[in-house]
Amino acid sequence: MGSLKFFRFFRFRTQFDGLRYSNPVHQNLVSNANSNINHHDQDGFFSNSVFRFLRCFQSGEKIDGGSKTEEEEKVYSWLYALARSERDLVFEYVRSTERGLSFTEAERRLKENGPNVPLEYKFPSWWHLLWNAFFHPFNIILIVLSALSYITSDNPNGCIMLILVFISVSLRFYQEYGSSKAAMKLSEFVRSPVKVQRCAGRVVQTELIVQVDQRDVVPGDIVIFEPGDLFPGDLRLLTSKHLVVSQSSLTGESWSTEKTADVREDRSTPLLELKNICFMGTTVVSGTGTGLVVSTGSKTYISTMFSTIGKHKPADSFEKGIRQISYVLVGVMLLAVTIIFLVEYFNFYDISESTLFGISVACALTPQMLPLIINTSLAKGALAMARERCIVKSLSAIRDMGSMDILCIDKTGTLTMNRAIMVNHLDSWGSPREKVLRFAFLNSYFKSDQKYPLDDAILAFVYTNGYRFQPSKWKKIDEIPFDFMRRRVSVILETESNPEGRNSQPCYRFMITKGALEEVMKVCSYVEHIDRGEITAFFAEDQHRILNVVEELSNEGLRVIGVAIKNLPQTQISEQSMDNEDGVESDMVFLGLITFFDPPKDSAKQALWRLAEKGVKAKVLTGDSLSLAIRICQEVGIRTTHVTTGPDLELLNQDDFHENVKKATVLARLTPSLKLRVVQSLQTVGNHVVGFLGDGINDSLALDAANVGISVDSAASVAKDLADIILLEKDLNVLVAGVEQGRLTFGNTMKYIKLSVIANLGSVLSLFIATLFLRFEPLTPKQLLVQNFLYSVGQIAIPWDKMEEDYVKIPQRWSVKGLPMFILWNGPVCTLCDVATLLFLWFYYSSDDQLSATFFRSAWFVEGLLMQTLIYHLIRTEKIPFIMEIASWPVLGSTVLISAVGIAIPFSVIGDFMGFTDLPLSYFGFLVVLFIGYFTVGQIVKRLYILVYKKWL
């Protein structure tokens, strides 16, 4: 899928210059920023050009993830240049003014740049997908053979082959047509009106605020935004007031980030943490401001991210192996058919009969059931996973799960319960104090604004631990609700009893504030020593001590909020206006800290242990902080000896990047593009089959690039559309069942491939030897096709076979050397038995050096069919067949049925019609001895192969 052209809607235009129109300033900025990358001397220009030209003919380029793409480097350089520049200079870079663009200029730029959409949605035509599904080596072989069969009047055989092609092409066409629409959901956020500042007038220009569709925003526009607005492009902030932005569409994490125009950044700041840059697709949580649009459409950061979707899917080693086997079989078939045709013709000089016999040999050599066996095995695995509450969108993902040896997972909601549990209540020295809990409880109990998960956690902690804080003795007076600028909530309560235990006045009023620690500390002038009952001034050393305590708690993976109180005399509260929030929330007394934890799921540790038992290592890729990720991983049993963060990875060269990704089990603070690069590094440099479990827009790149993309039912639409498997429950134990089904599917498919190649090659080689040895055809074309048909029908039961326990314990990969070696070792044994039968028939049943052609064909037909049927039981296991390991009942039933039919045909009316004759009982005695010898010799050869190849080579 990596080279499919229908993902062209993610491509960039050929010249990245920030704006479509000529902008030499911008070009100079980008080229200077990238000068450290493009520093090759002129002498290497010709050779580099030649290599680039040759790469055009490759089917796809391997992306190892060790470095950014050229487009990413240009976007990064452009945004960093603007973030580091003065406000006035930014206008010059994008050729705009403080009044905004004129309507004429905006219209001109819109025509040059096109609509402001991050992606161009061009989906492939049905005939293009149909051609991709049709163009497969086995399909071409079957169609050619079918045509030749019709030419030679062998209509039934030709019809069967066409039906097999139809099933294979239909299944693949259906899968690819559905997956081609995955990126359409990204358009959900590009339709909204935007307020922009434009100027009008020829002589005296007037500034106007107008609403335009997001598609009509152009670089150079000045955008006015307020809470709830979506940024229509990448912006450089001009003004800001208490601006808080949600970047969850890029990072996947729920927290917000503050932005401000009054800052100049430097290159050391991670891109998504730039304070004066806002990105397309992110939203305003609170605050207001204005910004200058610097990039739109496909030049924005989010477009750079999603431009890779559909391009970097790794080559499927199984499909590559199938194609290689296909090409080998085509070559062998052409050679064998040509030789057999010539031998047949020069023996009998009947070109029509020789052609028909050659076609029959070609049919016998072709594994006709391969598409059906593969798709049946995959469909069976999909149905089994459906019973485990999984939706399998891509059947090939079942097989890839059998090869998967690394699973990359996000922490939130996968390893954890995705809900907060309160852990402790501490004073400013880190000691547990009930007073801190009491006032935090009262704040959460009486707040009338929306209750957040942290409020529920505090209330649950108090109720479940038996605390009795008697909220009925308190009366709510007023409230200052939570907002994203203050990031704290305050309630004013009144009680008739002094919570300190002293009764010096009839009524007490308190303001209780809790919220983000730094925001609570800002409004505190005092700190209480709860153990001594003293209140002292809040000095800098107190703040440092609290921050050190918080750092230790954060390293343990805990989230922390602050609690403060203020005693409000009756006269003070009556005189103060609650509209003056800053005046009321001041000179407060810092009480202490409340800590929370997102606990791991009970099933996570067991599931990870079961996956590790099956050779699947887990790596955590998250946007959360490193300390929090480490705490969770330690709880569920993931090693944390090697950890790293996104900003650290950004600073590494390519080799060090790969080495760190290889060693690290926990990778925190990752951006979407870094998650993609990590997955690519594991695939290409580490040669791993990678699964990725994610549920956000920020996970889309990694989901698309992974060998197995896994999402959940509650995930973002884009994530679900790009995923191969959707879990209806966020439980890793489901993946354990998927891994087992994948290995079962892979194993049964490989059984058929080994069986068909060994049996077919052995059969054709035996036919060639018999044709040279005898003066007549070993089998007529009709007899050969019937034998091949019965043999193929018997293989339909293979997807229902079982695998040995040892097989499903390790990841299974297509072995480039293993399959040819297995065939070379085991194939000759089959041919040896056929030659032994030929010699037995010649010397035991011939009369006057003459062997009846009818008798020989009857005997050869039965022996060949039984041999091809029984081979499966020898190669399906490393143990002794029928003694140490027995196939499943469907396979045994199929073997008995096909064998019985094959033996019965020479004795039936059908046998008379096909030119067969009855066989003596002595011949079946020979067959018993022959197959006992075959299984004995075959078992010896198999054990030698295991010893020599698996242990030595």
Side-chain angles (χ1 to χ4, degrees), residues 191-446:
R191 293 279 186 176
S192 58
V194 180
K195 291 181 182 178
V196 299
Q197 178 178 302
R198 298 269 172 90
C199 58
R202 295 186 176 180
V203 180
V204 179
Q205 291 190 330
T206 305
E207 298 172 5
L208 300 174
I209 305 298
V210 296
Q211 271 197 344
V212 299
D213 189 86
Q214 181 164 328
R215 296 169 59 90
D216 299 330
V217 174
V218 296
D221 267 332
I222 296 176
V223 176
I224 298 93
F225 46 83
E226 55 191 22
D229 286 348
L230 201 70
F231 288 109
D234 291 343
L235 309 181
R236 168 61 157 86
L237 290 177
L238 302 176
T239 63
S240 62
K241 181 179 180 182
H242 303 304
L243 182 60
V244 178
V245 174
S246 170
Q247 298 186 154
S248 60
S249 60
L250 303 180
T251 65
E253 308 306 328
S254 57
W255 62 68
S256 304
T257 181
E258 295 181 0
K259 299 283 186 177
T260 179
D262 303 325
V263 66
R264 289 179 63 187
E265 297 283 6
D266 55 51
R267 186 79 189 197
S268 63
T269 306
L271 184 70
L272 293 180
E273 296 179 17
L274 295 174
K275 296 292 185 182
N276 57 5
I277 299 292
C278 295
F279 300 92
M280 184 179 198
T282 60
T283 55
V284 180
V285 176
S286 63
T288 57
T290 61
L292 181 66
V293 179
V294 297
S295 300
T296 59
S298 61
K299 305 300 188 295
T300 57
Y301 173 74
I302 194 170
S303 295
T304 310
M305 285 171 43
F306 290 108
S307 66
T308 59
I309 288 180
K311 293 182 178 179
H312 298 334
K313 201 74 170 180
D316 189 326
S317 61
F318 186 87
E319 290 293 336
K320 286 172 62 179
I322 290 293
R323 287 184 179 274
Q324 290 171 357
I325 289 291
S326 304
Y327 297 140
V328 171
L329 286 179
V330 169
V332 172
M333 182 182 68
L334 292 175
L335 179 63
V337 169
T338 302
I339 293 174
I340 290 178
F341 170 80
L342 293 175
V343 171
E344 178 81 8
Y345 177 73
F346 286 116
N347 277 341
F348 307 107
Y349 298 99
D350 186 342
I351 191 169
S352 175
E353 187 69 17
S354 299
T355 302
L356 187 58
F357 186 71
I359 294 173
S360 303
V361 171
C363 292
L365 191 59
T366 304
Q368 302 170 8
M369 302 297 289
L370 181 61
L372 185 62
I373 294 293
I374 291 176
N375 290 318
T376 302
S377 297
L378 295 176
K380 180 177 173 292
L383 289 174
M385 290 193 68
R387 290 193 290 270
E388 300 287 341
R389 295 185 59 77
C390 281
I391 298 174
V392 179
K393 293 176 55 188
S394 173
L395 291 180
S396 60
I398 300 290
R399 184 185 62 241
D400 290 336
M401 286 194 74
S403 304
M404 182 176 71
D405 56 353
I406 285 186
L407 176 63
C408 298
I409 53 182
D410 185 20
K411 176 190 68 64
T412 306
T414 305
L415 298 177
T416 66
M417 295 183 180
N418 202 20
R419 61 183 177 89
I421 290 181
M422 183 181 154
V423 178
N424 218 330
H425 40 93
L426 310 171
D427 63 10
S428 57
W429 277 264
S431 301
R433 301 294 176 187
E434 184 177 309
K435 184 176 182 179
V436 179
L437 177 61
R438 182 194 308 132
F439 281 101
F441 167 78
L442 292 172
N443 179 288
S444 297
Y445 184 88
F446 282 102

Side-chain angles (χ1 to χ4, degrees), residues 430-620:
S431 301
R433 301 294 176 187
E434 184 177 309
K435 184 176 182 179
V436 179
L437 177 61
R438 182 194 308 132
F439 281 101
F441 167 78
L442 292 172
N443 179 288
S444 297
Y445 184 88
F446 282 102
K447 60 174 289 192
S448 58
D449 192 24
Q450 176 185 358
K451 281 186 167 54
Y452 292 95
L454 298 186
D455 295 305
D456 296 332
I458 292 173
L459 297 176
F461 183 86
V462 170
Y463 294 144
T464 57
N465 287 277
Y467 290 99
R468 298 182 179 275
F469 293 137
Q470 299 178 317
S472 60
K473 293 186 177 181
W474 293 79
K475 177 184 176 182
K476 180 178 176 181
I477 304 301
D478 212 330
E479 176 180 354
I480 304 176
F482 177 89
D483 63 62
F484 284 95
M485 289 183 288
R486 293 164 43 255
R487 293 196 296 163
R488 57 182 182 263
V489 58
S490 298
V491 294
I492 298 176
L493 306 180
E494 182 180 276
T495 182
E496 295 183 357
S497 61
N498 188 351
E500 306 294 337
R502 299 181 297 271
N503 295 314
S504 57
Q505 61 187 54
C507 194
Y508 301 88
R509 286 188 178 177
F510 289 89
M511 171 176 282
I512 307 171
T513 300
K514 79 173 191 303
L517 179 65
E518 58 271 23
E519 299 299 331
V520 172
M521 291 173 64
K522 281 181 184 178
V523 298
C524 291
S525 301
Y526 308 95
V527 60
E528 181 169 353
H529 302 253
I530 300 177
D531 56 339
R532 302 201 305 261
E534 296 179 359
I535 296 177
T536 60
F538 199 33
F539 293 115
E541 53 265 28
D542 294 313
Q543 297 184 18
H544 290 311
R545 183 185 68 252
I546 294 171
L547 292 176
N548 288 335
V549 171
V550 171
E551 184 177 0
E552 293 179 5
L553 294 170
S554 297
N555 290 335
E556 296 177 6
L558 300 178
R559 183 177 178 182
V560 180
I561 64 172
V563 181
I565 61 171
K566 181 179 182 180
N567 195 340
L568 298 175
Q570 292 280 347
T571 53
Q572 180 180 354
I573 190 64
S574 60
E575 293 171 359
Q576 285 187 347
S577 170
M578 291 303 294
D579 294 333
N580 184 14
E581 297 173 357
D582 295 335
V584 179
E585 291 181 324
S586 62
D587 296 330
M588 301 193 71
V589 179
F590 187 84
L591 271 188
L593 311 167
I594 302 292
T595 62
F596 302 89
F597 181 52
D598 185 4
K601 290 179 178 177
D602 295 334
S603 61
K605 188 171 185 177
Q606 178 193 13
L608 290 172
W609 179 76
R610 292 176 63 193
L611 286 170
E613 268 195 328
K614 298 187 181 304
V616 181
K617 298 178 181 178
K619 287 181 180 285
V620 174

